[in-house]
Amino acid sequence: MSVSTISTTGRTFMLPDLGEGLTEAEVIEWHVAPGDEVHVDQIVVTVETAKATVDLPCPYSGPVLTLHNAPGAVVEVGRPLLTIGAERISGAEEQSGSGNVLVGYGTSEAKRSGRRRVNPEGRPTAANNLGSDAAARTINAPATTAPATAAPSVAPKVISPVVRKLARDNQISLARLAPSGPGDVIRRADVEAAVRMGEAGLASQEVAPAQVPAGADRADDIRTPLRGVRKTIADKLTRSRREIPEATTWVDVDATGLMAAKDEIKAVNAVARIGLLALFARISIAGLTKFPELNARVNVEAQEIVQLRDINLSFAAQSPRGLVVPVVHDAAEMTTAELAAALRELTELARDDKLTPAQMTGGTFTLNNYGVFGTDGAAPIINYPEAAMLGVGRIIDRPWAHEGQVALRKVAQLGLTFDHRVCDGRTAGGFLRFVADCVERPVLLLAEL
Amino acid sequence: MTLTAAAHAAGAPASARQQVTMSGAINRALRDAMTADADVVVFGEDVGTLGGVFRVTDGIARDFGQDRCFDTPLAEAGIVGFAVGMAMAGFRPVIEMQFDAFAFPAFEQIASHVAKMRNRTAGRVNLPIVIRIPFGGGIGGVEHHCDSSEAYYAHTPGLKVVTPATVEDAYTLLREAINDPDPVIFMEPKRLYWSKGSIESAVAATTFESFGHAAVRREGTDVTLVAYGPSVDVAMQAASAAIESGWSVEVVDLRTIVPFDDETVVNSVRKTGRCVVVQEAQGFAGVGAEIAARVQERAFHSLHAPVLRVAGLDIPYPPPKLEHLHLPGVERVLDAIARLQWDDNADTRFLANASKGGAA
Amino acid sequence: MTTHTSTPVTQTVPSDRPFARGLIPAPMPVRFLDDLGHRVQVFNDDYPEPSSEQLVAAYSAMVIGRRFDIQATALAKQGRLAVYPPSRGQEACQIASVLALSQDDWAFPTYRDSMALVTRGLDPVEVLTVPHGSAHCGYDPRANRTAPQCTPLATQLIHAVGFASGEKRKGRPTVAMAFVGDGGTSEGDFHEALNFAAVFKAPVVFLVQNNKYAISVPLSKQTAAPSLGYKGIGYGIASEQVDGNDVMAVLAVLNKAVAHARSGQGPVLVEAHTYRLDAHTNADDATRYRDSQEVEDWLRRDPIARLEAWLRHEGLIDDAFVASVAQKAEAFAADIRDRMSVDLALDPMSLFDNVFAAPTTQLLEQRAMVEAELEAEAASR
């Protein structure tokens, strides 16, 4: 805002703030008319403000060109009063056209046209704009921050910033944890438990309170609330079944050859302790290399299938808290001996309940040896967000057609459960057949190494 | 007469491990400053002949003369304004407001002129004034004699606010205050006037650079107590008592509220993860609130619990018979420490549904 | 009682006896010239008449001072100043207060003493910096021996006392001229300043410009004292009252008061009766609380007119001189106009200088924040 503007047509006197915060004035009477010659400080108009009636002296000399308001008009501070024609301009007046001359102390600020700058730290995301106005800016708040949505469901309460950060670092969604402490405050124990169960990268959901089953209210029924880790697992399984259109294909195999191979390796290299699980791992990896479509995941939001470059092999293991799924990262880079060592190490850690979050996340394919439970087959639930799981049943003596005779061979059932979105039956069958062939004749692996 | 006065009147140096009172330490600081700089003058009500109602200026008028230490009319605004003029003429006035609340009539002079003169004149006129104010309670004093007004001064830019808690700091910080080219509000915890300590090394110092440097009075690992002035003593006692409960308590003595030592306080809280601020003044909108805000802003990610304050109640300072309920004591500090979410137990004090919640 | 005389009273050196009448002011304001500029004798025996040089200088200064004041008022109405508190009508007090001082003396002005300051020689643009809004004090107080223009009334009086007392203690013969209005004499700080000044025998002259109004509150609501000059007796301060529109009288009284103070005899309180012709500031409407007849009456007591009449009568000035002074005044005003139409670039970072001698860590953090804000804003344009 300025008192003066220089244009080719003249200089304009704007209405100033005449009283420490006044915003307008009414024109009472003009004392000059267009065409009159006025000199500096000559009284040209009388105006009335909320505080007083004031005679205004003109800052310029020259002919009056325009009177901008009629008597009775109410003029806002900063708006034109009259324009004086250009005159022989002195050096100083020339400079005054810079537009910096003061007017209107205490009058309204220039209207803000949107956010004037990004966060000086260079992170303009809405999540960091805590001080900025308008709810509009929180629309794109990332999912990892607790949603500050309305009504009774408030943001999760966490015992301390340290624990909150622990959760965030492990991609634990706070909203999916059921707090175990009084006041519904999520405790460190809750977060650590969730981390140990290998839960990761889940989008936020409503925290559903534990429901008492309707109707079946018998005193001796045993109730276990779905809270904490139990709840997390339940949610994940549910999501897997809900989202993934899975199919299962299975085949019986004669694993005698694999068992023999295992014994031969042991005879030569007992130190490496390469067991069946490691061999099945090696075969699975070879299979995934051959059929990479199965080492993938589906991103529904982005509407795409992502074929993952690295093979991170998940496998089932027992821990004091129940089943856990540790992950051998970059399994494809390992030798079979290294695989065996990794599997063994992770199994021990699981048994001692010492797995770290990193060791329980990032899997791309699961090898599930449920045969240890003494069963043959299963239609397992895929380990979301993976796309496939190879299941191995128990290996027992069974009659088999061997070289034209009926013989007792070491037979097992292999099952492949897969996300039908990532491939068709041909690929899945091809993978399973390949695995079966390698189990029956391990030497075939040589061609795939 | 105090040990100090007797010793110094004779010009004898402080012997090894000689104990002086805080009042004596301030007296000594005034004397040393006046000896070092002829422009240092002391004035106020009753500071001359009487030597001050707390004997802080005992003997100074006699030893340095009425020109250097003199009594004024009973007019606090006048005393401060007079100091402004004297400072403009080249003196370094060290003036006294007899009690904390009696500085209020002078508040306009302090806030509108003492604090602003340098800024108003773009640095051409500075006011090296020290305003000594005995503050705080715990002495069984009647109304108006026990207030803690440091927040008003801390909130006024242009003033430094200094709160010694120890005898040594009473000497050191006052010397620095007098040397400072800017105005200093020097708040003396009157209930510690008779506490004893050694100033031997302080007196021997040639430079005084403590402003803005808080002191860790006691190291610990579990929780940081931040305090200043008379509350440092309380914090130290609480720290000792806390050992029984298994807490290792660190105590930070701010020494100067303005300038504030963010670094020492934050480093301590980053180490311990827990913080309690202790102050005698009423809690609402007090200095403790500023400290708590700064700590949570700067050490947020290290916090295991909210930053708590133990402060005076939000009441006018009570009569002597009830002041013990108002002043933050060791028990109240320990109660606050107990609330700091130990063993993964959340502080549910402000949660509506605190009784709900299942077993882990 | 008045007599018309054309013989100037010879000047005498200040004597050792107590200031004029001592603690009690003259029963009527001291006067040398009546409204028309005729020489009179109104309780002015104790005051040597000012020299011709001083009177001619006073005339020029008043003309220029008034022109400055009118120009500043116009600038406020043009939005070039946020506000301007005028002292039109008080020229005699404004000029005499300064002419009575030596170069080494100090002035402690209020916000309505701009005219006095430009008379003292301060750069008018620097004087107008405060109403202009670019700084809290536009001039160097030490270089100009003038304290910053004080807004909280009467609070700077005690500074004047402390300062003058300090100067005396340092063996310097400095006198402080402390300015206050009728309203300011009600403030507690007025009382404390006078008391301290008397007790410490500070070399201060308290000039009370009684211009009859404190914004809208008239003198009758401000005090029940017979006149403000009587306030001195309670403190033991020598006092006088003078016709504040008679510059000869004001100069005479102030000359003596300054000499009295400088000689170590203590402070003096001088009440000058004058009138604020304009409203409090451009934001005030004086018609709400006084009638135009009163203003008319005071216009007839114009300080410049009556001194001009006297000086012409004495042959000390003529038309040519008057015209040349008027021209000087116009040039003075034009220069101010020109210079005030150019805005100085203000350095935003200066906010953080001069809070303390050296900024605290916290101030440096805030400085960095503002710097970053400005850079980001500049980048986004």
Side-chain angles (χ1 to χ4, degrees):
Chain A
M1 285 187 277
S2 62
V3 143
S4 68
T5 55
I6 284 189
S7 66
T8 50
T9 49
R11 295 148 297 157
T12 301
F13 177 26
M14 315 288 199
L15 177 69
D17 170 6
L18 292 167
E20 295 164 311
L22 294 173
T23 57
E24 62 188 25
E26 180 185 332
V27 174
I28 302 298
E29 187 189 346
W30 284 104
H31 303 295
V32 296
D36 291 351
E37 278 287 329
V38 302
H39 59 82
V40 168
D41 289 347
Q42 177 177 340
I43 304 295
V44 289
V45 64
T46 301
V47 301
E48 183 170 323
T49 69
K51 290 190 180 181
T53 302
V54 189
D55 293 331
L56 296 188
C58 184
Y60 312 115
S61 305
V64 176
L65 295 185
T66 320
L67 304 180
H68 292 279
N69 319 93
V74 173
V75 184
E76 267 182 21
V77 168
R79 306 298 305 152
L81 277 172
L82 82 166
T83 301
I84 305 294
E87 189 201 45
R88 206 178 55 250
I89 295 171
S90 75
E93 288 195 83
E94 187 100 63
Q95 281 173 55
S96 72
S98 68
N100 283 336
V101 183
L102 298 161
V103 78
Y105 298 81
T107 52
S108 58
E109 300 165 37
K111 310 279 184 289
R112 279 193 57 181
S113 50
R115 182 146 177 76
R116 57 184 162 151
R117 61 174 190 271
V118 298
N119 183 306
E121 259 121 14
R123 281 172 291 146
T125 57
N128 294 315
N129 281 348
L130 296 174
S132 65
D133 50 311
R137 305 203 191 284
T138 62
I139 286 174
N140 296 319
T144 49
T145 59
T149 48
S153 171
V154 297
K157 294 186 280 280
V158 182
I159 191 171
S160 77
V162 171
V163 170
R164 196 180 281 272
K165 185 171 189 296
L166 179 67
R168 190 171 53 246
D169 286 347
N170 290 290
Q171 291 123 51
I172 306 286
S173 164
L174 294 170
R176 301 203 52 200
L177 292 180
S180 63
D184 287 340
V185 176
I186 294 169
R187 306 166 68 221
R188 174 185 275 268
D190 302 329
V191 174
E192 285 178 342
V195 166
R196 270 197 296 275
M197 296 317 293
E199 309 308 328
L202 306 174
S204 60
Q205 283 183 10
E206 290 289 317
V207 173
Q211 301 275 359
V212 175
D217 213 353
R218 290 185 50 186
D220 47 0
D221 288 350
I222 298 172
R223 300 189 202 296
T224 307
L226 273 178
R227 286 185 187 283
V229 168
R230 201 179 297 273
K231 175 172 174 44
T232 312
I233 296 173
D235 288 345
K236 189 171 174 187
L237 293 168
T238 308
R239 184 171 191 178
S240 177
R241 265 287 150 80
R242 186 176 65 238
E243 281 190 23
I244 301 179
E246 75 209 354
T248 304
T249 177
W250 56 91
V251 69
D252 291 339
V253 291
D254 175 359
T256 313
L258 190 67
M259 306 285 281
K262 175 177 76 91
D263 291 337
E264 276 193 60
I265 293 168
K266 182 174 171 186
V268 172
N269 184 358
V271 177
R273 291 168 59 194
I274 294 173
L276 274 180
L277 191 62
L279 292 174
F280 270 112
R282 173 88 276 140
I283 294 169
S284 300
I285 291 163
L288 287 174
T289 308
K290 209 170 163 67
F291 297 90
E293 300 94 315
L294 289 166
N295 193 53
R297 65 173 57 143
V298 176
N299 185 334
V300 176
E301 283 85 24
Q303 286 289 295
E304 61 183 13
I305 299 168
V306 182
Q307 205 172 89
L308 301 159
R309 184 197 58 198
D310 297 327
I311 296 175
N312 301 328
L313 192 68
S314 312
F315 69 100
Q318 276 301 314
S319 85
R321 293 173 182 270
L323 195 70
V324 292
V325 190
V327 177
V328 179
H329 285 267
D330 298 318
E333 312 300 318
M334 297 181 180
T335 64
T336 310
E338 285 166 351
L339 270 176
L343 289 167
R344 198 166 38 250
E345 187 198 337
L346 288 169
T347 303
E348 272 168 27
L349 287 173
R351 193 182 52 235
D352 297 339
D353 203 15
K354 286 195 171 125
L355 288 168
T356 70
Q359 289 165 330
M360 298 201 299
T361 56
T364 61
F365 180 90
T366 300
L367 175 60
N368 192 352
N369 181 21
Y370 45 71
V372 299
F373 297 127
T375 54
D376 294 317
I381 301 173
I382 290 178
N383 190 15
Y384 181 96
E386 295 171 10
M389 179 188 299
L390 176 68
V392 180
R394 61 182 174 158
I395 304 176
I396 55 167
D397 286 341
R398 268 209 251 264
W400 191 260
H402 179 64
E403 287 168 356
Q405 303 279 328
V406 172
L408 282 179
R409 303 284 284 177
K410 303 287 178 195
V411 175
Q413 190 178 99
L414 303 178
L416 176 69
T417 305
F418 63 101
D419 181 339
H420 220 312
R421 296 173 295 183
V422 307
C423 69
D424 56 14
R426 190 187 156 104
T427 306
F431 173 87
L432 189 61
R433 188 64 250 159
F434 170 83
V435 168
D437 288 341
C438 291
V439 169
E440 291 184 338
R441 291 205 297 284
V443 72
L444 288 176
L445 267 175
L446 280 176
E448 306 297 335
L449 293 172
Chain B
M1 195 186 257
T2 62
L3 291 165
T4 327
H8 297 137
S15 56
R17 274 176 269 129
Q18 180 181 24
Q19 298 270 295
V20 299
T21 62
M22 184 182 283
S23 168
I26 298 169
N27 184 288
R28 178 66 190 270
L30 289 170
R31 286 169 178 276
D32 289 352
M34 290 170 79
T35 304
D37 183 351
D39 284 333
V40 177
V41 291
V42 169
F43 55 92
E45 295 155 19
D46 304 297
V47 302
T49 309
L50 178 64
V53 295
F54 290 104
R55 305 294 179 268
V56 173
T57 53
D58 200 23
I60 292 183
R62 179 201 63 219
D63 296 341
F64 286 84
Q66 297 280 337
D67 279 345
R68 303 287 306 279
C69 176
F70 53 91
D71 292 322
T72 62
L74 212 169
E76 285 76 13
I79 293 169
V80 176
F82 192 80
V84 170
M86 288 278 280
M88 288 172 74
F91 287 95
R92 303 185 87 93
V94 182
I95 63 177
E96 181 181 294
M97 298 283 104
Q98 199 160 80
F99 283 88
D100 184 282
F102 301 150
F104 294 150
F107 193 77
E108 178 178 26
Q109 284 289 339
I110 295 172
S112 297
H113 295 299
V114 173
K116 294 181 177 174
M117 189 65 80
R118 171 186 285 280
N119 186 261
R120 174 187 304 146
T121 61
R124 288 142 173 164
V125 178
N126 65 301
L127 299 177
I129 297 175
V130 176
I131 304 179
R132 293 181 38 246
I133 304 183
F135 84 121
I139 57 165
V142 293
E143 200 185 6
H144 310 299
H145 288 73
C146 305
D147 291 290
S148 293
S149 56
E150 68 274 14
Y152 305 127
Y153 303 116
H155 188 62
T156 305
L159 299 175
K160 297 189 179 173
V161 182
V162 173
T163 52
T166 66
V167 173
E168 188 176 74
D169 265 359
Y171 181 92
T172 301
L173 295 176
L174 183 56
R175 289 299 307 273
E176 187 169 346
I178 295 173
N179 288 349
D180 201 304
D182 289 316
V184 177
I185 310 293
F186 192 80
M187 308 203 64
E188 301 168 359
K190 64 172 87 71
R191 72 161 142 177
L192 296 179
Y193 269 151
W194 313 120
S195 64
K196 295 213 174 90
S198 164
I199 56 170
E200 198 190 327
S201 53
V203 165
T206 48
T207 57
F208 303 98
E209 282 165 354
S210 300
F211 282 16
H213 296 288
V216 178
R217 296 291 182 199
R218 185 186 203 281
E219 288 193 10
T221 54
D222 294 335
V223 54
T224 301
L225 296 184
V226 181
Y228 56 88
S231 301
V232 174
D233 202 31
V234 175
M236 293 294 281
Q237 289 176 41
S240 295
I243 296 173
E244 263 178 38
S245 309
W247 296 312
S248 161
V249 178
E250 180 150 300
V251 177
V252 174
D253 173 3
L254 285 184
R255 305 170 81 204
T256 60
I257 298 174
V258 179
F260 185 83
D261 184 355
D262 278 311
E263 198 182 327
T264 300
V265 173
V266 168
N267 285 347
S268 174
V269 179
R270 287 218 178 99
K271 181 175 87 169
T272 63
R274 290 175 165 84
C275 180
V276 176
V277 185
V278 186
Q279 70 175 45
E280 210 179 278
Q282 288 78 357
F284 193 90
V287 169
E290 174 65 28
I291 299 171
R294 301 185 83 81
V295 168
Q296 71 84 30
E297 180 180 355
R298 287 154 197 263
F300 185 76
H301 309 112
S302 306
L303 290 174
H304 294 290
V307 179
L308 299 181
R309 295 163 293 155
V310 180
L313 307 170
D314 294 322
I315 59 173
Y317 198 94
K321 294 237 152 73
L322 291 174
E323 72 177 337
H324 63 281
L325 292 170
H326 171 77
L327 294 170
V330 169
E331 287 307 313
R332 207 171 272 166
V333 175
L334 292 175
D335 287 346
I337 295 177
R339 276 176 58 198
L340 293 173
Q341 302 196 140
W342 306 99
D343 303 319
D344 214 16
N345 291 317
D347 178 357
T348 57
R349 175 179 284 227
F350 298 106
L351 295 173
N353 54 348
S355 54
K356 268 178 64 178
Chain C
M1 89 195 137
T2 64
T3 50
H4 184 94
T5 170
S6 56
T7 19
V9 172
T10 23
Q11 293 192 37
T12 55
V13 294
S15 71
D16 284 337
R17 63 190 173 105
F19 183 80
R21 272 158 291 282
L23 300 184
I24 313 279
M28 289 184 53
V30 169
R31 210 180 218 211
F32 281 71
L33 299 175
D34 70 8
D35 290 350
L36 299 173
H38 301 134
R39 187 75 170 79
V40 295
Q41 206 71 31
V42 179
F43 295 103
N44 56 19
D45 297 342
D46 298 293
Y47 300 101
E49 190 179 299
S51 69
S52 313
E53 289 76 23
Q54 207 179 30
L55 291 170
V56 171
Y59 170 79
S60 298
M62 287 199 291
V63 170
I64 294 173
R66 173 171 290 175
R67 186 63 190 88
F68 161 83
D69 192 84
I70 291 172
Q71 184 60 63
T73 302
L75 289 172
K77 291 180 181 174
Q78 290 160 356
R80 288 196 167 115
L81 299 175
V83 66
Y84 178 71
S87 34
R88 189 169 69 97
Q90 301 174 215
E91 289 83 0
C93 295
Q94 292 285 295
I95 271 63
S97 63
V98 164
L99 294 188
L101 294 176
S102 78
Q103 243 194 339
D104 293 331
D105 293 328
W106 268 65
F108 285 78
T110 71
Y111 55 75
R112 197 182 292 287
D113 300 307
S114 302
M115 207 192 285
L117 266 47
V118 304
T119 305
R120 191 130 212 259
L122 275 67
D123 183 335
V125 170
E126 286 186 3
V127 171
L128 292 175
T129 297
V130 171
H132 185 259
S134 35
H136 293 316
C137 177
Y139 49 85
D140 180 347
R142 292 202 182 279
N144 290 286
R145 304 184 78 77
T146 303
Q149 295 136 303
C150 186
T151 299
L153 292 175
T155 58
Q156 95 288 17
L157 299 179
I158 183 65
H159 302 167
V161 174
F163 179 79
S165 187
E167 290 285 284
K168 182 171 124 178
R169 286 158 196 270
K170 288 202 176 273
R172 299 194 277 255
T174 315
V175 170
M177 181 71 67
F179 292 76
V180 67
D182 43 295
T185 65
S186 295
E187 282 280 2
D189 281 9
F190 173 81
H191 154 78
E192 297 196 17
L194 262 59
N195 192 34
F196 268 71
V199 167
F200 289 109
K201 263 195 153 146
V204 181
V205 175
F206 296 98
L207 176 60
V208 179
Q209 290 176 82
N210 177 0
N211 65 12
K212 304 296 179 282
Y213 287 91
I215 305 189
S216 68
V217 177
L219 188 69
S220 58
K221 291 188 186 173
Q222 198 66 251
T223 183
S227 108
L228 298 173
Y230 284 82
K231 290 200 171 195
I233 184 176
Y235 306 100
I237 290 186
S239 309
E240 187 61 282
Q241 60 169 325
V242 66
D243 178 346
N245 280 18
D246 173 359
V247 72
M248 194 187 293
V250 183
L251 262 175
V253 170
L254 288 182
N255 283 342
K256 181 151 188 163
V258 168
H260 177 92
R262 201 188 306 287
S263 69
Q265 296 180 76
V268 181
L269 172 70
V270 176
E271 177 191 10
H273 296 269
T274 180
Y275 193 78
R276 192 195 73 204
L277 285 175
D278 291 319
H280 170 63
T281 66
N282 44 292
D284 179 37
D285 179 5
T287 62
R288 287 171 169 256
Y289 51 82
R290 62 187 192 184
D291 67 67
S292 48
Q293 187 55 54
E294 187 183 86
V295 180
E296 292 297 320
D297 291 343
W298 277 93
L299 279 170
R300 278 196 293 277
R301 301 180 193 150
D302 180 53
I304 298 179
R306 54 185 176 174
L307 180 65
E308 184 179 332
W310 164 255
L311 291 173
R312 281 182 184 273
H313 180 271
E314 294 297 300
L316 292 167
I317 63 174
D318 58 13
D319 282 349
F321 181 79
V322 168
S324 81
V325 172
Q327 205 172 33
K328 261 171 75 173
E330 277 315 308
F332 192 69
D335 179 57
I336 294 171
R337 270 200 307 276
D338 288 347
R339 293 172 62 201
M340 292 299 294
S341 65
V342 179
D343 252 7
L344 300 163
L346 293 175
D347 176 15
M349 292 301 111
S350 67
L351 288 175
F352 303 97
D353 305 331
N354 297 310
V355 178
F356 296 109
T360 59
T361 323
Q362 292 76 17
L363 278 172
L364 291 173
E365 283 175 9
Q366 294 181 359
R367 188 183 197 283
M369 178 191 85
V370 173
E371 205 162 31
E373 284 175 359
L374 292 172
E375 274 168 18
E377 254 176 73
S380 69
R381 264 190 243 114

